[in-house]
Amino acid sequence: MVEFSPTLVFVLFGVLSLCQPVKRADNGTWPTQSFRTAPAFRPPVFDISKSGAALAPGLLMMSFIPAVDNVESAAVIMTDDGDLVWNSSPGSLSNLRVQRLDSAPVLTYWNGSSVGEKGYGAVSILDSTYTEIYQVCPQIYARTPDDSLFDCYGDIHESYITDRGTMLMTVYNITTADLTSVNGPKDGWIYDNLFYEVDIKTNEILFRWSSYDAGIPLTASRAPLGEASEGNGTREDPFDYFHINSVQRVGSYYFMNGRNYWTSYLIDGNGDIVWTIEGDTGGNFTIPEDGHFAWQHHAVLRNFTDSGAILTYFDNDNGNPPLFNGTKPARGLEFNLDFENKTATLLKNLIDPNELTYPIAAGSYQSLPNGNAILGYGTYPSLKEFGPDGDVRMSIRFGDIDTSSPAGFTSLTYRVWRDQWVGTPAWSPTLVFDQDNQSLYMSWNGATGITTWEISCGNTTEQQSARSLGMIPSTGFETMFNLTSSECRSSVQATAYRAGTPLRSTNSVLLTGRI
């Protein structure tokens, strides 16, 4: 049940707007949804605008890392109308998405703890019943500034399943380094940025790459030592000179992004750098003037061949110098890379001129099957879906920029994904009777495509069988049925249907206090 005023639907300047305006909670905070059947779930209300142009199919997947107390720390699956589909248990979760393993769709997400801005944890892989079938936790050790110990040391930034059934994951390990070349101490400390390729089923390490071992010079880093959140080079505050935040496998290569170098790298199977593309100079490519980027996230290559590829970024250049001063809005970039001529042609520059956003971190760019693209804005709690020609087809806001918070935002959504997913949970649906309003509330956390519920009245004697009270349409995550006009006084049960097929029933609920 959503805590906001009745939905308004109207056309304004060619935009179909839903849930507008969002009604604030009494304390002025962004409103959340609440449910009788799942009182612990508090996903945000979506403030939605749609142009009416075709959107890509699929559900929205995201996780919330809160900066203020009233934001739920969880991963969620939502519809683009703002209905909750699945809510995880509370926890520090990130990068919820659909991937494929053994030719079947699976859900993956990172789950762990943090020291400062770095994460240490494992990646869970769930099947369509939301049962964990694998946990990716390679036997490695990464040193932290405070020498914290963890069961798993996988970093929050990447959990990519390759087409050969392995996972690429990032790791941050502090180590000593000579920082005199960047005006730091000779016996300084850095975060060595690593990625591993791991066998999902055995957790065996198949490949390891280290930014420090690769010999990438510290002097090429765009991150100023001792400024912003990049560290001052001490044991307690190591210098995050590189900041790896994405990696994928393309052909026989790895493609990896170093945010603080404004550079992405193609790496061969020996760990050697084949080429780079850099946001200022271009690296090994020539880039157009309007294609320069900085502090970029989510570098992805697709349609990779020997002659070229399509490259997408979430360009998070929020002003430099000084860092993040709110002068350069975030945008989505798509390039055509010509490997023979070493040129990068800008194909798309995705930005909403009516809502310029200035997130300080995170963000994502996903190319969608129908030619659309969806951007997640990291520390700015919103997402947008753009059409093939760059028109804004959907804009969703789900939180505030909070200037009273030290972080400057209410929650961080590292990446946003839109994917098709069919979920049939291993657990049963939930049914609650509220004697105050004589109503039933039913839900099935994680179930997709539920169209109707059948309400049945239970036995009153051993000779009587349960009888159906009728079918009611599903109204989102939670559906209500009022019993006032019903003669049922014993117990009730609800059965979930998907397209006319019964799937599973709730436990019987006694109608204690039935009037």
Side-chain angles (χ1 to χ4, degrees), residues 157-195:
H157 286 92
E158 192 59 271
S159 47
Y160 179 93
I161 295 181
T162 73
D163 58 6
R164 56 181 184 177
T166 60
M167 177 169 285
L168 299 176
M169 57 196 315
T170 50
V171 173
Y172 280 81
N173 176 61
I174 70 167
T175 189
T176 56
D178 183 350
L179 300 181
T180 55
S181 63
V182 289
N183 300 317
K186 183 174 180 60
D187 54 349
W189 289 81
I190 62 168
Y191 279 103
D192 186 13
N193 290 219
L194 306 103
F195 75 81

Side-chain angles (χ1 to χ4, degrees), residues 160 163 248-256 264-269 272-277 285 299-312 335-340 342 367:
Y160 179 93
D163 58 6
Q248 67 175 129
R249 187 171 175 87
V250 287
S252 60
Y253 301 95
Y254 302 96
F255 185 62
M256 180 269 303
S264 299
Y265 305 79
L266 190 72
I267 298 167
D268 66 22
D272 297 324
I273 296 171
V274 178
W275 54 252
T276 67
I277 181 167
F285 290 82
V300 175
L301 284 180
R302 56 187 176 88
N303 301 341
F304 183 87
T305 67
D306 291 339
S307 59
I310 300 297
L311 168 62
T312 56
F335 295 96
N336 179 70
L337 300 185
D338 183 330
F339 295 158
E340 181 179 351
K342 288 296 189 291
S367 300

Side-chain angles (χ1 to χ4, degrees), residues 163-443:
D163 58 6
R164 56 181 184 177
T166 60
M167 177 169 285
L168 299 176
M169 57 196 315
T170 50
V171 173
Y172 280 81
N173 176 61
I174 70 167
T175 189
T176 56
D178 183 350
L179 300 181
T180 55
S181 63
V182 289
N183 300 317
K186 183 174 180 60
D187 54 349
W189 289 81
I190 62 168
Y191 279 103
D192 186 13
N193 290 219
L194 306 103
F195 75 81
Y196 290 83
E197 184 172 11
V198 182
D199 185 297
I200 288 173
K201 298 175 183 179
T202 67
N203 278 307
E204 178 187 359
I205 295 171
L206 306 176
F207 183 83
R208 173 188 180 275
W209 187 87
S210 156
S211 62
Y212 191 53
D213 292 346
I216 300 174
L218 295 173
T219 52
S221 176
R222 300 287 183 157
L225 178 67
E227 293 187 24
S229 61
E230 313 308 340
N232 58 24
T234 63
R235 174 71 171 75
E236 297 76 20
D237 192 15
F239 183 31
D240 186 7
Y241 71 102
F242 192 80
H243 200 86
I244 186 172
N245 62 15
S246 66
V247 59
Q248 67 175 129
R249 187 171 175 87
V250 287
S252 60
Y253 301 95
Y254 302 96
F255 185 62
M256 180 269 303
N257 189 61
R259 185 195 192 212
N260 288 352
Y261 276 68
W262 303 358
T263 302
S264 299
Y265 305 79
L266 190 72
I267 298 167
D268 66 22
N270 297 317
D272 297 324
I273 296 171
V274 178
W275 54 252
T276 67
I277 181 167
E278 200 261 2
D280 183 23
T281 67
N284 295 122
F285 290 82
T286 301
I287 59 176
E289 185 63 32
D290 57 351
H292 290 284
F293 55 87
W295 314 110
Q296 72 285 352
H297 282 80
H298 204 195
V300 175
L301 284 180
R302 56 187 176 88
N303 301 341
F304 183 87
T305 67
D306 291 339
S307 59
I310 300 297
L311 168 62
T312 56
Y313 284 118
F314 182 77
D315 180 21
N316 211 345
D317 184 2
N318 187 7
N320 179 63
L323 291 179
F324 315 131
N325 63 6
T327 60
K328 295 184 179 180
R331 57 184 182 158
L333 297 178
E334 181 175 300
F335 295 96
N336 179 70
L337 300 185
D338 183 330
F339 295 158
E340 181 179 351
N341 298 305
K342 288 296 189 291
T343 57
T345 303
L346 185 62
L347 302 178
K348 293 182 181 180
N349 181 3
L350 301 181
I351 193 167
D352 184 351
N354 297 316
E355 187 183 11
L356 302 179
T357 58
Y358 302 90
I360 64 172
S364 57
Y365 183 126
Q366 182 189 8
S367 300
L368 298 170
N370 69 341
N372 288 4
I374 193 164
L375 302 187
Y377 288 84
T379 57
Y380 189 89
S382 68
L383 64 90
K384 294 180 185 291
E385 185 168 329
F386 294 82
D389 296 325
D391 56 306
V392 180
R393 298 190 172 186
M394 181 178 69
S395 183
I396 296 179
R397 181 86 174 271
F398 44 85
D400 275 321
I401 297 297
D402 183 8
T403 56
S404 66
S405 166
F409 53 90
T410 56
S411 68
L412 183 153
T413 303
Y414 177 57
R415 290 178 182 166
V416 171
W417 299 90
R418 183 195 271 279
D419 286 300
Q420 297 193 69
W421 173 252
V422 177
T424 308
W427 50 83
S428 297
T430 300
L431 181 65
V432 170
F433 172 60
D434 187 327
Q435 66 180 36
D436 291 337
N437 62 10
Q438 298 292 290
S439 294
L440 299 173
Y441 296 85
M442 62 213 75
S443 69

